[in-house]
Amino acid sequence: MTHTTSINSTVSQLLTSIQSHSFTVGVVGLGYVGLPLAVEFAMKGIKTLGIDIDNRKISSLVRGENYIQDISNDNVRTVIENGTLAATTDFSRCGECDAIFICVPTPFTPNKDPDISHIVHSTEEVAKSLRAGQIIILKSTTFPGTTTKYVQPILERGGMKAGRDYYLAFSPERIDPGNKHWHTGNTPIVVGGVTADCTTLACAVNQVIIEKIIPASSPDVAEMEKLLENIFRSVNIALVNELAQLCDRIGVNIWEVVDAAATKPFGFMPFYPGPGIGGHCILIDPYYLSWMGREFDFETNFITLAAEVNESMPFYVRSMIVREIARQPITMDNAKVLLLGIAFKRDVDDLRHSPALKVAELLFQDGIKNVSYYDSYIPSTNILGTVVNSEKSLTAEVLQQHDIIVITTDHTDFDYEMIVRNSRVVIDTRNACKNVGGDKSHVVLLGDGK
Ligand SMILES: NC(=O)c1ccc[n+]([C@@H]2O[C@H](COP(=O)([O-])OP(=O)(O)OC[C@H]3O[C@@H](n4cnc5c(N)ncnc54)[C@H](O)[C@@H]3O)[C@@H](O)[C@H]2O)c1
């Protein structure tokens, strides 16, 4: 009874300090997820400490310089200058924080098995200064059981117990870089604590910056629901990618088909085809679950099939390009191909696992030496060991100097009228030229059945 009373009073004291904003937040991993989160707390006046192993990121933050496209440079400068946000590589300062978010990468190995080493290493660092009353919230996307079977045992090596001495929860991130409407504050999130008190405290911490929090009964549920969200996208995109290839054979326009189906007011959600999927989430996360399934003698067929179709799309686009080269009075050797947009999706500067990059690599491997690109978000990149710079600007002259123009990423800063007007052949993998008028006989659209 005495014990229960003391737990409750600790929880209520912590709740009071969270609700009165008199607590300190730590964010471990200051990338696309962590930095916006840290800035959001700091903008609310919460003392925030950002921790990363990347010296360059910490140095730019210390100078007040932002490196994440979605957050305002002014906000970063303000919170650094007024001291609400501090940035360090020194993990021993974790002890200063009452609530610590872990937002480190969860990539896969070359064989596409989960690599949770960043979670393990950062948790080991956090564990060194773990103290009673701290709440740790893992945000990195991962397979069910990571919080309780990997993170919790590391944190408890010193004898502390989750829900009794410290608190532990999983709360997946839903940030959608480049999305102008949905941002950290107005996107609901799910929180699953190791105990009910853990959930209550993790909800309270998130409530400081997020309008709606949905408690889940366990970290496993929260881990699994995040994977479901991303697998749902992967499977539906794969479905239209497969149908786009069928439509190309049977002579029906998939884009018109999807738009027509989307007029149904219930039971249908439109997904569109493209050159493949990329980024740090939809391509990788499903593999976390298929890997886990194998341990339980369970083949996740939907995941595998979706991955197979989506990952074949850059190869399909390559075959479209090669076919168009064959139709011109040029050879593979001297063909000049210009890719428009190399980022993995529209209006972002993120190149991770970009299908456009894969298309470029495949063309290089095919012996097409003159492959260039234009992307105002990505000034230079590395294609199979060769540094390639973006064209400085997208002018009529640049377009006319190339034989084949491929719209790989449909950035909104492209002038599609100008592109269609000044190109000999346009391969449009995103239906980006949909609203361009005039002669489009030289535009080859993925999945339009022509
Ligand atoms: N990017 C997105 O849109 C998005 C959306 C939802 C979920 N997620 C998930 O969030 C997690 C983070 O993704 P991200 O896109 O922010 O990755 P990121 O690569 O942009 O950032 C991760 C940061 O963690 C740092 N880091 C790596 N190891 C560390 C360690 N041991 N200690 C401290 N810092 C370390 C890196 O230097 C980097 O700055 C991943 O699990 C990802 O799947 C990402």
Side-chain angles (χ1 to χ4, degrees):
M1 185 62 192
T2 321
H3 186 58
T4 312
T5 311
S6 78
I7 290 172
N8 288 340
S9 73
T10 309
V11 172
S12 66
Q13 271 171 25
L14 284 168
L15 270 177
T16 308
S17 67
I18 293 164
Q19 283 157 357
S20 61
H21 292 193
S22 50
F23 73 118
T24 301
V25 167
V27 178
V28 175
L30 297 169
Y32 286 94
V33 168
L35 187 59
L37 186 73
V39 171
E40 201 79 27
F41 274 104
M43 288 299 289
K44 290 272 181 207
I46 312 287
K47 205 168 162 219
T48 307
L49 180 66
I51 303 169
D52 203 291
I53 51 170
D54 186 339
N55 270 313
R56 282 172 313 167
K57 283 187 176 147
I58 297 303
S59 306
S60 36
L61 285 176
V62 168
R63 291 193 302 271
E65 288 168 16
N66 176 29
Y67 50 82
I68 295 284
Q69 184 198 337
D70 266 1
I71 30 182
S72 116
N73 296 341
D74 286 349
N75 286 357
V76 172
R77 200 174 316 110
T78 304
V79 291
I80 290 284
E81 279 174 5
N82 70 20
T84 333
L85 176 64
T88 183
T89 54
D90 179 5
F91 274 90
S92 69
R93 293 189 59 190
C94 282
E96 297 169 23
C97 306
D98 302 295
I100 299 177
F101 289 92
I102 298 179
C103 313
V104 294
T106 41
F108 51 25
T109 65
N111 290 330
K112 298 187 175 165
D113 287 341
D115 171 7
I116 61 162
S117 60
H118 299 278
I119 294 182
V120 169
H121 292 147
S122 53
T123 305
E124 281 168 346
E125 292 297 332
V126 170
K128 288 181 189 163
S129 51
L130 187 71
R131 58 169 171 78
Q134 272 186 323
I135 169 140
I136 315 300
I137 304 171
L138 177 63
K139 286 194 80 66
S140 305
T141 310
T142 183
F143 52 83
T146 307
T147 307
T148 52
K149 295 196 180 73
Y150 291 85
V151 173
Q152 190 175 354
I154 295 171
L155 293 174
E156 298 187 357
R157 278 176 194 162
M160 282 210 247
K161 204 151 173 34
R164 187 190 69 188
D165 309 305
Y166 78 103
Y167 303 90
L168 176 62
F170 182 78
S171 174
E173 177 61 48
R174 283 179 168 164
I175 200 167
D176 181 19
N179 194 321
K180 302 274 183 278
H181 177 70
W182 296 106
H183 50 83
T184 306
N186 68 358
T187 307
I189 58 151
V190 173
V191 170
V194 169
T195 66
D197 284 342
C198 294
T199 306
T200 304
L201 287 167
C203 286
V205 171
N206 280 298
Q207 198 92 59
V208 172
I209 55 162
I210 296 168
E211 287 160 23
K212 190 168 179 199
I213 317 291
I214 299 97
S217 64
S218 68
D220 290 15
V221 170
E223 287 160 338
M224 184 76 175
E225 79 78 22
K226 174 66 190 177
L227 292 182
L228 171 61
E229 287 173 30
N230 286 352
I231 291 163
F232 173 82
R233 285 186 62 73
S234 168
V235 166
N236 280 287
I237 293 168
L239 174 65
V240 286
N241 276 335
E242 186 174 83
L243 294 182
Q245 295 175 59
L246 174 66
C247 280
D248 268 342
R249 290 205 194 174
I250 64 178
V252 177
N253 183 318
I254 184 71
W255 306 89
E256 198 186 335
V257 169
V258 175
D259 285 343
T263 58
K264 185 181 177 189
F266 51 88
F268 185 84
M269 191 187 279
F271 286 84
Y272 295 95
I277 55 174
H280 187 40
C281 296
I282 299 172
L283 183 83
I284 296 176
D285 302 344
Y287 283 108
Y288 270 60
L289 201 57
S290 47
W291 170 86
M292 189 180 185
R294 286 198 295 276
E295 189 189 329
F296 293 86
D297 302 321
F298 193 97
E299 281 302 324
T300 51
N301 295 320
F302 272 102
I303 294 175
T304 310
L305 183 60
E308 192 183 311
V309 174
N310 289 330
E311 288 168 35
S312 75
M313 290 313 287
F315 293 82
Y316 189 69
V317 172
R318 186 259 306 260
S319 68
M320 291 174 76
I321 296 167
V322 170
R323 193 179 57 205
E324 289 312 313
I325 290 173
R327 285 182 177 159
Q328 309 295 316
I330 48 175
T331 64
M332 298 276 276
D333 260 357
N334 63 20
K336 294 192 180 72
V337 179
L338 176 68
L339 305 183
L340 296 184
I342 197 107
F344 89 90
K345 69 169 185 173
R346 181 195 299 160
D347 297 346
V348 301
D349 61 0
D350 192 347
L351 195 61
R352 291 177 293 181
H353 302 288
S354 170
L357 197 55
K358 182 73 187 176
V359 170
E361 287 173 2
L362 292 173
L363 296 178
F364 264 39
Q365 281 165 350
D366 274 351
I368 302 176
K369 294 182 225 78
N370 298 312
V371 180
S372 43
Y373 80 95
Y374 173 72
D375 192 321
S376 63
Y377 292 91
I378 298 174
S380 99
T381 186
N382 189 312
I383 304 174
L384 295 177
T386 305
V387 174
V388 181
N389 295 320
S390 167
E391 297 284 345
K392 295 217 165 12
S393 57
L394 190 58
T395 60
E397 294 71 49
V398 168
L399 291 163
Q400 286 156 9
Q401 281 158 11
H402 290 85
D403 301 302
I404 313 268
I405 309 299
V406 189
I407 300 171
T408 27
T409 308
D410 51 345
H411 289 314
T412 48
D413 66 358
F414 289 152
D415 179 345
Y416 293 104
E417 296 269 358
M418 196 273 286
I419 292 167
V420 170
R421 214 172 38 247
N422 291 288
S423 307
R424 283 195 284 286
V425 175
V426 178
I427 297 179
D428 183 357
T429 68
R430 302 276 190 177
N431 204 14
C433 303
K434 181 181 173 185
N435 298 320
V436 174
D439 177 19
K440 289 204 281 189
S441 55
H442 57 303
V443 178
V444 182
L445 174 61
L446 183 149
D448 81 343
K450 293 206 185 93

